[in-house]
Amino acid sequence: MSLKRQNYHEFTHEKIKFKDMLKLLEKSEFEKEITEALKLNLKNGDILINGTKDLLDKFLNFENSFLKIDLKEKLINTDFLSFNLKDLKKIKECNLKIGGSKVETTYSTKHDYINLVHLKSLYDVCAGSEDKYSNEIREKLEEKFLDVYDKNKKLLGNLPTNNKLYRLISLENKAGLYLRAICSTSYKNYNNKVTIFLALYMLNKFGENSNQKLQVEKLFMTDSKIKLVLRTLEPKILKDNIGKVYPTYEIYNSELGDGAFIISQSYIFNFNGKNIYLNINEDSKNIKNKCLSVSHSSNVETLIEQVNKGILESQNYERDLISLATKLYKKNVSEAFLIDVIQSIVSSTKSVISLSTKEQIKKLQITISTSIKIIELLKEIDSIKMEFEEKEYINYLFYNVLKKLKI
């Protein structure tokens, strides 16, 4: 099964009513706790964030194309439904029974399940047996694998540590259920609806307190993850009028237990009339940019506490960002910095960056002068035509090099 994803870059200015935003909490197990903790009620007024009507329409249309089911089950209540050693190297997935549901594994979940029953080493031997052993030996290996599987499952199946949350999904126009992830039972399902609600609530409150208006800028979604970017409508004019930046807010969440719910600050430079996005991807010694970071094991009380804290701290982080932005407008690119940036991109083994993009990046070493500013180099990279995922990852690499500079 290929990963279903969607990117959006254009949003109108139309806003939603506050009561429309509350629809994101409907059917959530945390609806009552969140509304009571935040002392929410049905307001009729608009929220202050432009583009929220488009955002909700696009998000919910995509979200409703999946059926998501979370099952808490003991290991003993799961089983292999198909396992064929002869085709093990060819077959990427296998069929399992989780509780009463028949599912097909997808992405890494086959290996996650095999690790759960402590059979990785034996599985690796079996998977490599096709070219090494006769049919007779392979059949014995298969029997051994299934025998050890049954014994391990009986031995481990009722241990509390092996009680897991199984995320199942189904897709439009595809029959059957897929196993998308295996998570800890301590995982709390602060799903993408809940986190978008909390992000909009927090940033709307921040806008009210600071008299700043925000605009939805970007939305990236998969079946289980989101990245949402909002920016201020009015730019900050830097000291001595050297340039201007739009502070931005990035919301990230994963429903698969492999990432926290995060709201961080970054910015969009306006350079000669062109907006250039720079992702400040993590806290560093020079700058703290996370307004909020909450693990999915946190209770609702901690979650709400962090949301309220984030509203207060956002303005402090913004001052740090403006200070760094000023330095990036002023500082020239050194030859060492240029080489470091280019090498970090072209030597990346991540398949997300295409060979064509790497070739264009290489050419910058010839065409770029060390008399230009860092912001101008970022503009040159930004002007290369590439896929959204490529641009995001290259931005991440650029900032990793940038963090090494003492500016």
Side-chain angles (χ1 to χ4, degrees), residues 315-328:
Q315 283 179 289
N316 295 330
Y317 290 154
E318 188 175 287
R319 283 193 289 271
D320 289 343
L321 287 164
I322 296 303
S323 175
L324 181 58
T326 302
K327 294 170 184 175
L328 295 183

Side-chain angles (χ1 to χ4, degrees), residues 17 67 78 95 102 147 183 244 276 299 315 327 383:
K17 303 288 185 184
L67 172 65
T78 67
N95 294 319
K102 296 178 181 179
D147 179 56
C183 304
K244 52 189 178 182
I276 307 165
N299 58 33
Q315 283 179 289
K327 294 170 184 175
S383 67

Side-chain angles (χ1 to χ4, degrees), residues 286 324 327 331 401-407:
N286 299 324
L324 181 58
K327 294 170 184 175
K331 191 170 183 66
V401 176
L402 186 62
K403 282 193 299 183
K404 299 174 187 177
L405 292 182
K406 295 180 179 179
I407 58 173

